[in-house]
Amino acid sequence: MNDSPANPSRRLFLEIAPATLAAGALGAYGQSVQEVEAGEHSRSASMPLGQENGALFAANPDSETPPPTDHGSLPAFKYPFSVAHKRIEPGGWTRQVTVSDLGISKTIAGVEMRLDPGGIRELHWHSAAEWAIMLYGGARITCIDPDGRSFVDDVKEGDIWNFPAGYPHSIQGLQPDGCEFLLVFDDGAFDEYETILVTDWMAHTPPSIIEKNFGVPASAFPSQPSEGLYIFPGTIPGPLAMDQRAAAGNLGTSRLPFDYRLTSTEPTKRTRGGEVRIVDSRNFPVSGTVAAAHVTLHPGGLREMHWHPNADEWQYYIKGKGRMTTFAAASRARTMDFQEGDVGYIRQNFPHYIENTGDTDLVFLEIFKSHQYQDVSLSNWLTHLPPQLVMDHLKITRETLDKFPHEEAVLMPL
Ligand code: MN
Ligand code: MN
């Protein structure tokens, strides 16, 4: 960077900054990082009226006092489920975060759902694929494959499932306390309240057609609720094997597993910083449009600086506290804080890191609309180039470069 008359803030920086400070980086809006930092620790940062939402203030320290390296304007990339409308019905509740709530989340929408023991998410299907993870308790799930073969299984905490677009399915809470889970859809505009419900369809079909279709008198069918059941209390299911046999009938069961024991499998990578499990169509073939990483990051650990060349990243924070900075071209960088129940989003190719800022493990999901998980590690890239090329860019010695991790670290320890 040149100390030229065209760059007055750079000249000012050189006049006031001790030579030992990192050179060159500009903070917010043309001021040096050091000037911004000084401002943040002076009267300039005070709020005489004290107008703050206390809980939000405490949860967002990096919005309140951004790292001085943040710069320019990037749209918000966080939305807490806690401010989503909750639809509560006998049998359970649900709430969703879609592109209507979080404007940049164009490729993925998310839904949280709770079902009582016996509570049923009605038999239904939709035009997006559904990827899901059980967060608490257990459920019985059902689906059917294109050969008409049935799938019935029980899922517990840490298990995932995937129902491709148009495959009809159901979810029912089990004893002792039902379940809570996260649903992820491969379309940011997906609306959980606009799915095709079996009773809704029946209610809007002439009784004479019902009679012909099923070969039973229309009088045998009570009238169906005109807007469907959606979530409702049902009968606690019996033994799994019995339900599987009854559903299979003479066709047998589906050869395609629609679920996967994600957190019971060995991690894809384990380091002193934590562990990560990657699941996509390579180890879970039915998941043709959604790839995921389940990350556990120990206190102080860092999900290393990286980006994803093939898809936007939708995040869901399961436990703990962390912060993420997204960097974009043209000196734009913004840091936001995350905790349980928050959704985060990063556009394809935008670099980022995630740091555990709490004193417990940070557990979160990275979700991609893709058949395959892909990322590029900054460390791995910089250590697989001609060394002099990297040294010329970063003005570092060979000794410093040699200390960088020489492979994709994924998770760095404190
Ligand atoms: Mn569904
Ligand atoms: Mn990422």
Side-chain angles (χ1 to χ4, degrees):
M1 192 180 288
N2 293 322
D3 178 18
S4 69
N7 193 347
S9 60
R10 167 70 176 167
R11 289 167 63 212
L12 180 61
F13 164 71
L14 286 177
E15 280 159 22
I16 65 165
T20 50
L21 292 178
L26 290 184
Y29 308 100
Q31 293 176 317
S32 74
V33 169
Q34 289 71 28
E35 286 171 312
V36 174
E37 189 160 31
E40 286 182 349
H41 292 88
S42 73
R43 182 195 298 259
S44 305
S46 64
M47 299 183 69
L49 294 177
Q51 291 160 317
E52 279 290 357
N53 177 323
L56 282 176
F57 178 91
N60 296 281
D62 287 297
S63 295
E64 185 59 33
T65 308
T69 42
D70 278 11
H71 185 259
S73 55
L74 275 179
F77 44 89
K78 163 180 171 172
Y79 196 93
F81 264 102
S82 299
V83 297
H85 166 75
K86 190 185 274 179
R87 173 174 172 175
I88 306 172
E89 310 201 337
W93 58 256
T94 187
R95 55 187 179 182
Q96 65 181 355
V97 174
T98 74
V99 70
S100 308
D101 308 293
L102 179 61
I104 63 167
S105 63
K106 293 191 185 341
T107 64
I108 301 276
V111 169
E112 286 181 344
M113 193 174 287
R114 162 91 170 121
L115 295 173
D116 298 339
I120 297 174
R121 169 62 174 96
E122 177 172 1
L123 287 161
H124 72 285
W125 67 98
H126 29 72
S127 55
E130 171 177 324
W131 187 100
I133 184 167
M134 184 57 70
L135 299 172
Y136 165 82
R140 181 157 302 172
I141 57 176
T142 74
C143 192
I144 199 158
D145 71 19
D147 297 326
R149 294 173 190 267
S150 71
F151 169 85
V152 182
D153 203 7
D154 288 350
V155 283
K156 61 176 190 332
E157 185 179 329
D159 295 344
I160 63 169
W161 67 85
N162 188 297
F163 299 134
Y167 285 36
H169 52 275
S170 64
I171 308 160
Q172 184 171 23
L174 297 174
Q175 288 180 311
D177 189 33
C179 55
E180 189 174 332
F181 49 92
L182 174 76
L183 302 170
V184 176
F185 299 91
D186 62 354
D187 174 5
F190 174 83
D191 188 335
E192 169 65 13
Y193 308 132
E194 291 181 9
T195 63
I196 298 174
L197 307 176
V198 68
T199 61
D200 195 15
W201 189 18
M202 295 286 187
H204 299 282
T205 302
S208 62
I209 298 296
I210 301 272
E211 200 164 83
K212 274 187 193 165
N213 192 73
F214 293 109
V216 295
S219 60
F221 270 78
S223 68
Q224 304 296 320
S226 73
E227 293 177 355
L229 291 163
Y230 188 60
I231 287 176
F232 65 104
T235 311
I236 305 260
L240 175 62
M242 192 181 77
D243 266 4
Q244 287 173 328
R245 268 197 310 277
N250 56 2
L251 288 180
T253 55
S254 176
R255 294 186 191 92
L256 198 61
F258 290 90
D259 58 7
Y260 180 83
R261 315 285 167 213
L262 179 62
T263 59
S264 322
T265 60
E266 273 300 296
T268 312
K269 181 137 189 160
R270 180 185 277 135
T271 73
R272 286 185 299 121
E275 55 191 44
V276 59
R277 290 174 173 79
I278 291 169
V279 58
D280 61 21
S281 60
R282 291 172 288 193
N283 50 357
F284 184 31
V286 76
S287 198
T289 60
V290 177
H294 181 281
V295 182
T296 300
L297 188 57
H298 300 324
L302 182 75
R303 170 76 177 93
E304 68 168 325
M305 297 167 79
H306 69 281
W307 66 98
H308 305 274
N310 65 337
D312 291 1
E313 173 176 343
W314 187 92
Q315 299 171 334
Y316 179 81
Y317 288 81
I318 297 174
K319 277 183 212 158
K321 288 183 166 50
R323 68 168 182 170
M324 171 166 67
T325 301
T326 297
F327 175 72
S331 313
R332 291 170 295 160
R334 182 169 178 178
T335 305
M336 299 189 83
D337 301 284
F338 295 85
Q339 63 184 73
E340 295 92 336
D342 287 346
V343 171
Y345 199 89
I346 307 120
R347 283 177 53 192
Q348 183 174 351
N349 293 318
F350 280 29
H352 52 283
Y353 68 82
I354 298 139
E355 183 183 27
N356 184 341
T357 53
D359 47 19
T360 59
D361 278 355
L362 176 65
V363 182
F364 63 96
L365 292 165
E366 307 173 5
I367 305 277
F368 308 87
K369 181 175 181 174
S370 173
H371 69 292
Q372 205 173 88
Y373 177 90
Q374 282 183 9
D375 65 15
V376 180
S377 148
L378 178 61
S379 283
N380 186 79
W381 177 45
L382 294 180
T383 54
H384 293 83
L385 288 167
Q388 190 60 48
L389 181 65
V390 179
M391 291 154 61
D392 282 357
H393 279 81
L394 301 181
K395 309 285 187 283
I396 57 174
T397 63
R398 180 67 189 261
E399 189 188 4
T400 298
L401 178 59
D402 285 347
K403 285 181 182 154
F404 286 17
H406 276 53
E407 59 173 10
E408 178 171 19
V410 186
L411 303 171
M412 298 296 291
L414 175 62

